[in-house]
Amino acid sequence: QVQLVESGGGLVQPGGPLRLSCAASGNIFSRAVMGWYRQAPGKQRELVATITRGGSTNHADSVKGRFTISRDNAKNTVYLQMNSLKPEDTAVYYCNAALAIANYWGQGTQVTISS
């Protein structure tokens, strides 16, 4: 059974850093494009960043230069390093594993940027 478990969310002051982790189980990690998405209250879920099996990354324009996605294939874990956080980054962040025939989501972790 596939399971994605996010961790690392919390309350951070503007300008601060935070690192999210997503641990994957179910023997899919090596085959999946991994990604982070977020959903703010009243808004649609949006792409934050993705990373392929080979390490190619894609970041949304709104986070380029501030956020970095990475993956550790040995640990079946994908990370999102977030720097220079802004109040508008406040959202529930979701881990995603995309395969050719299926799409999996974590339960989400709340990130709140506030002073």
Side-chain angles (χ1 to χ4, degrees):
Q1 184 174 351
V2 176
Q3 194 170 16
L4 303 176
V5 180
E6 301 105 333
S7 60
L11 173 64
V12 180
Q13 291 189 341
L18 198 63
R19 189 176 83 154
L20 305 181
S21 300
C22 171
S25 61
N27 197 30
I28 66 164
F29 191 82
S30 63
R31 296 179 286 125
V33 174
M34 300 300 298
W36 287 97
Y37 291 72
R38 66 186 181 186
Q39 187 166 18
K43 295 187 177 181
Q44 289 187 331
R45 191 172 298 188
E46 63 176 3
L47 170 71
V48 176
T50 60
I51 184 167
T52 68
R53 293 173 296 173
S56 296
T57 62
N58 176 51
H59 295 80
D61 287 343
S62 59
V63 306
K64 278 182 181 176
R66 299 189 299 121
F67 292 11
T68 302
I69 189 171
S70 62
R71 65 191 289 165
D72 186 333
N73 291 332
K75 295 183 178 180
N76 290 348
T77 301
V78 62
Y79 304 97
L80 185 67
Q81 178 65 46
M82 304 185 292
N83 297 324
S84 303
L85 283 160
K86 304 175 181 180
E88 51 264 42
D89 295 318
T90 295
V92 178
Y93 283 70
Y94 295 92
C95 179
N96 173 265
L99 300 172
I101 59 171
N103 214 16
Y104 300 95
W105 294 93
Q107 81 287 351
T109 185
Q110 177 70 46
V111 173
T112 302
I113 314 305
S114 176
S115 55

